[in-house]
């Protein structure tokens, strides 16, 4: 699972070079936030008419056909009924290919979510015991996303929304007792993820990625993370609980 992402101190020059973005609109006010949760805006990279673009989107996917806003922040690659024990060696059917909410976006509207790191907690304790997940070898890396343009039928407002794909936990996330991990996209596969491919190729991109093997973790202060109000580098300081700290 992945409900908080960090895009702090990512520069526009870095994004343009990394993702081959020819131009960033002057009026695009970039959030570059350190503690982006569900319902907040984040930066995503998508491809339109053969050109990579940087866009702001709401973290929390809403299908185009939905009559009201939803907040699907993660989309299970296997679907809700498969791999219920979250086996990291799972090789069965991938339910996202039949999902009414996600299938169309998975096939046609994929995006990259550039991050410095993300925040995760154990399956039971969640963000009461938060950890930062990061990579020394990849200080900027991409997570696999899907996006949808949703129009509010009540007032006609159009909102770009996205979710991050997840699969069974990698070793680093297993070590903090969580059962799911966001799907990473290695640098060599980033453009492939944005452009049209068949289902077998897309599933292979999601299941054969090894970028998560480089991920490491350390504990964060739960009081700073859970409130969602802190948005500066103090949030990322390693935390060592005292003996009377309860999680």
């Amino acid at each position: 699972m992945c409900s908080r992402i960090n895009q702090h101190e990512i520069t526009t020059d870095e994004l343009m070079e990394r993702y081959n973005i020819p131009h960033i609109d002057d009026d695009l006010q970039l959030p570059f936030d350190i503690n982006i949760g569900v319902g907040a805006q984040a930066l995503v990279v998508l491809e339109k008419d053969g050109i990579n673009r940087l866009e702001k989107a709401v973290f929390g996917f809403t299908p185009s056909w939905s009559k009201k806003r939803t907040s699907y922040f993660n989309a299970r690659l296997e679907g809700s009924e498969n791999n219920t024990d979250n086996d990291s060696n799972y090789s069965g059917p991938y339910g996202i290919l039949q999902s009414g909410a996600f299938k169309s976006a998975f096939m046609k509207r994929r995006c990259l979510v550039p991050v410095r790191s993300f925040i995760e907690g154990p399956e039971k304790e969640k963000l009461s015991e938060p950890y930062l997940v990061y990579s020394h070898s990849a200080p900027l890396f991409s997570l696999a996303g899907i996006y949808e343009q949703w129009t509010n039928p009540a007032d006609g407002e159009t909102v770009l929304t996205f979710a991050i794909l997840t699969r069974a936990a990698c070793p680093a996330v297993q070590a903090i007792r969580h059962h799911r991990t966001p799907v990473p996209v290695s640098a060599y596969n980033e453009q492939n993820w944005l452009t049209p491919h068949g289902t077998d190729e897309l599933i292979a991109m999601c299941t054969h990625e090894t970028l998560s093997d480089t991920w490491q973790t350390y504990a964060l202060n739960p009081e700073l993370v859970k409130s969602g109000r802190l948005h500066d580098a103090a949030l990322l300081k390693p935390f060592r609980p005292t003996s009377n700290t309860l999680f």
Side-chain angles (χ1 to χ4, degrees):
M1 208 173 283
C2 180
S3 62
R4 299 283 178 90
I5 58 176
N6 167 26
Q7 295 183 327
H8 186 54
E9 294 184 343
I10 302 176
T11 67
T12 53
D13 288 344
E14 190 176 14
L15 290 168
M16 293 176 75
E17 180 178 358
R18 170 67 174 266
Y19 298 105
N20 192 28
I21 299 170
H23 174 73
I24 295 177
D25 293 340
D26 292 336
D27 59 353
L28 184 66
Q29 297 179 352
L30 306 179
F32 292 131
D33 202 343
I34 205 167
N35 188 14
I36 301 171
V38 179
Q41 287 191 322
L43 301 173
V44 299
V45 178
L46 49 87
E47 191 247 24
K48 285 185 178 179
D49 300 322
I51 298 173
N52 290 354
R53 296 179 55 87
L54 185 68
E55 301 281 359
K56 285 193 299 187
V58 174
F59 189 15
F61 183 94
T62 301
S64 61
W65 44 260
S66 179
K67 291 184 173 13
K68 62 180 181 178
R69 279 283 292 274
T70 58
S71 296
Y72 297 117
F73 58 95
N74 289 157
R76 281 179 61 102
L77 193 63
E78 310 96 315
S80 59
E81 297 181 0
N82 302 322
N83 197 21
T84 54
D85 57 353
N86 295 296
D87 179 4
S88 59
N89 295 314
Y90 177 80
S91 59
Y94 289 92
I96 197 166
L97 299 175
Q98 287 79 44
S99 168
F102 303 131
K103 177 184 177 181
S104 179
F106 181 73
M107 295 305 303
K108 300 176 182 178
R109 291 177 294 282
R110 295 180 301 279
C111 63
L112 297 166
V113 185
V115 298
R116 293 290 190 206
S117 56
F118 63 93
I119 298 171
E120 194 55 272
E123 181 179 1
K124 180 180 178 181
E125 293 83 357
K126 298 183 171 57
L127 294 185
S128 293
E129 189 181 334
Y131 293 83
L132 189 77
V133 184
Y134 69 101
S135 172
H136 272 310
S137 61
L140 174 66
F141 59 93
S142 299
L143 301 178
I146 55 176
Y147 70 92
E148 190 68 88
Q149 196 98 358
W150 177 74
T151 301
N152 188 336
D155 59 13
E157 179 190 13
T158 298
V159 182
L160 187 65
T161 69
F162 77 97
I164 294 171
L165 300 186
T166 68
R167 65 187 189 192
C170 64
V173 177
Q174 288 176 356
I176 62 172
R177 310 187 310 282
H178 199 80
H179 59 305
R180 304 292 296 175
T181 191
V183 174
V185 182
S186 295
Y188 68 84
N189 250 343
E190 286 168 346
Q191 193 60 44
N192 288 332
W193 180 249
L194 296 178
T195 53
H197 283 84
T199 56
D200 290 347
E201 294 169 298
L202 292 173
I203 294 297
M205 275 189 245
C206 293
T207 57
H208 296 166
E209 275 287 354
T210 58
L211 176 62
S212 58
D213 292 344
T214 71
W215 289 352
Q216 298 172 284
T217 66
Y218 63 76
L220 298 174
N221 188 327
E223 296 303 319
L224 300 182
V225 172
K226 284 185 70 177
S227 72
R229 292 191 295 269
L230 187 64
H231 298 273
D232 62 45
L235 180 80
L236 303 183
K237 290 182 179 179
F239 177 69
R240 294 183 178 176
T242 59
S243 58
N244 62 352
T245 300
L246 297 178
F247 287 114

